[in-house]
């Protein structure tokens, strides 16, 4: 069985004050054991590591360089993120694809960097509203999976996580119905199984796109939905705590 995860993507939010307030509530919350992860802004990874060693949360990054090291001003290497204590990295998020023009080949190099440095990539894929309306959802999503994972061969299912995030559902309040999500997740599952006959069945596939406490149970009830990648609702400790508890 793939593992279940709840991952918060804080994006460019949560300054030190909000971060401290968030953990006052987390520390009181008596979270169950589970795979509960948070990706803060990179400058706060150290701070979060101090906070999370007293509970079961793990900390990761929202991006990394596609290069090992060198003259790449402003970039952050997977190697140094791992050295700092980050355990995972979100790659291929639709905001990076659309705002920073990242394409599948570039993302593929980042996935390779992450794996080489023992960071778990959470590879995001998803279609725009135009692609869905043109009947191109599966072609788009499966094309992204194949291209971003080109040349990659995980030796264990824990080394890689996929996240299906329909672009039209991110930050819009519109969630894919549980059935719409599962339809795409089951096709991603088939593709993973085809690409990685040894590990594909066990790789977790998260859903992302306006996940909140009111819809998480229905989403998690779907066979191929193995957790959530959550933006907005992960900023509020009480919501994130509810989402984590829903995985149990
Ligand atoms: C995301 O950014 O990955 C995301 C799913 O955002 P939201 O939950 O706010 O839709």
């Amino acid at each position: 069985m793939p593992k279940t995860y709840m991952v918060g993507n804080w994006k460019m939010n949560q300054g030190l004050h909000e971060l401290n307030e968030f953990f006052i509530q987390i520390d009181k919350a008596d979270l169950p054991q589970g795979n509960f992860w948070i990706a803060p802004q990179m400058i706060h990874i150290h701070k979060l590591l101090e906070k999370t060693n007293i509970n079961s949360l793990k900390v990761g990054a929202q991006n990394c360089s596609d290069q090992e090291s060198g003259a790449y001003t402003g970039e952050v290497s997977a190697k140094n993120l791992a050295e700092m204590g980050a355990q995972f990295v979100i790659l291929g998020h639709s905001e990076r694809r659309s705002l920073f023009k990242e394409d599948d080949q570039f993302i593929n190099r980042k996935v390779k960097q992450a794996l080489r440095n023992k960071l778990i990539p959470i590879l995001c894929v998803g279609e725009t509203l135009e692609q869905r309306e043109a009947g191109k959802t599966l072609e788009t999503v499966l094309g992204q999976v194949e291209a971003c994972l080109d040349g990659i061969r995980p030796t264990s299912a824990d080394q890689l996580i996929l996240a299906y995030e329909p672009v039209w559902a991110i930050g819009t309040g519109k969630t894919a119905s549980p059935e719409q999500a599962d339809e795409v997740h089951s096709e991603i599952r088939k593709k993973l199984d085809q690409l990685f006959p040894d590990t594909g069945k066990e790789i977790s596939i998260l859903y992302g796109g306006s996940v909140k406490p009111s819809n998480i149970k229905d989403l998690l009830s779907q066979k191929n939905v193995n957790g959530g990648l959550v933006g907005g609702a992960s900023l509020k400790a009480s919501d994130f705590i509810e989402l984590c508890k829903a995985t149990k």
Side-chain angles (χ1 to χ4, degrees):
M1 277 278 284
K3 288 185 185 161
T4 307
Y5 295 84
M6 196 53 62
V7 183
N9 173 13
W10 280 0
K11 310 191 184 188
M12 204 168 71
N13 296 302
Q14 307 287 66
L16 279 180
H17 175 72
E18 291 91 348
L19 186 158
N20 284 322
E21 291 293 311
F22 185 93
F23 277 93
I24 290 172
Q25 292 195 53
I26 292 283
D27 292 343
K28 283 194 215 144
D30 194 22
L31 276 182
Q33 284 299 311
N35 301 302
F36 310 138
W37 294 2
I38 292 183
Q41 297 182 65
M42 281 184 195
I43 47 167
H44 291 145
I45 287 178
H46 252 310
K47 188 80 192 165
L48 240 74
L49 285 166
E50 277 168 27
K51 303 268 182 195
T52 52
N53 62 17
I54 50 168
N55 52 49
S56 57
L57 289 168
K58 285 196 169 39
V59 184
Q62 300 169 18
N63 187 24
C64 71
S65 172
D66 67 323
Q67 301 294 322
E68 185 75 25
S69 65
Y72 301 98
T73 303
E75 290 291 275
V76 177
S77 71
K79 184 176 176 199
N80 292 157
L81 283 167
E83 188 180 74
M84 190 195 252
Q87 311 230 3
F88 68 94
V89 58
I90 298 170
L91 295 174
H93 191 281
S94 69
E95 286 154 17
R96 298 227 47 101
R97 290 177 188 262
S98 66
L99 300 172
F100 303 99
K101 309 291 172 241
E102 295 195 3
D103 63 15
D104 289 335
Q105 288 65 41
F106 189 53
I107 296 163
N108 174 252
R109 293 201 295 278
K110 293 185 179 207
V111 173
K112 287 177 175 159
Q113 274 300 328
L115 288 170
R116 203 170 291 147
N117 290 289
K118 307 215 165 15
L119 280 180
I120 300 168
I122 301 182
L123 171 65
C124 303
V125 294
E127 81 287 4
T128 61
L129 188 58
E130 293 69 36
Q131 288 164 329
R132 176 161 280 265
E133 287 176 348
K136 294 194 167 151
T137 298
L138 293 179
E139 182 190 324
T140 305
V141 168
L142 299 180
Q144 290 172 343
V145 171
E146 212 160 326
C148 294
L149 295 179
D150 185 43
I152 282 152
R153 183 146 290 278
T155 50
S156 100
D158 289 347
Q159 284 175 353
L160 176 67
I161 296 176
L162 268 280
Y164 169 55
E165 298 206 305
V167 179
W168 48 271
I170 297 180
T172 59
K174 285 187 204 154
T175 318
S177 69
E179 296 74 23
Q180 276 175 324
D182 201 55
E183 187 192 353
V184 180
H185 281 230
S186 70
E187 293 300 322
I188 296 176
R189 168 75 58 227
K190 280 188 214 155
K191 174 62 74 183
L192 290 175
D193 199 17
Q194 188 189 322
L195 292 174
F196 312 127
D198 300 337
T199 53
K201 284 192 188 61
E202 303 290 318
I203 293 173
S204 298
I205 308 170
L206 316 185
Y207 169 78
S210 298
V211 170
K212 41 190 176 265
S214 59
N215 59 26
I216 189 64
K217 287 231 162 79
D218 286 344
L219 288 161
L220 290 177
S221 68
Q222 300 297 311
K223 183 167 177 269
N224 289 294
V225 177
N226 312 123
L229 177 55
V230 189
S234 72
L235 298 174
K236 205 170 146 200
S238 57
D239 282 354
F240 189 65
I241 290 161
E242 263 195 75
L243 293 170
C244 292
K245 288 187 173 168
T247 63
K248 292 287 140 187

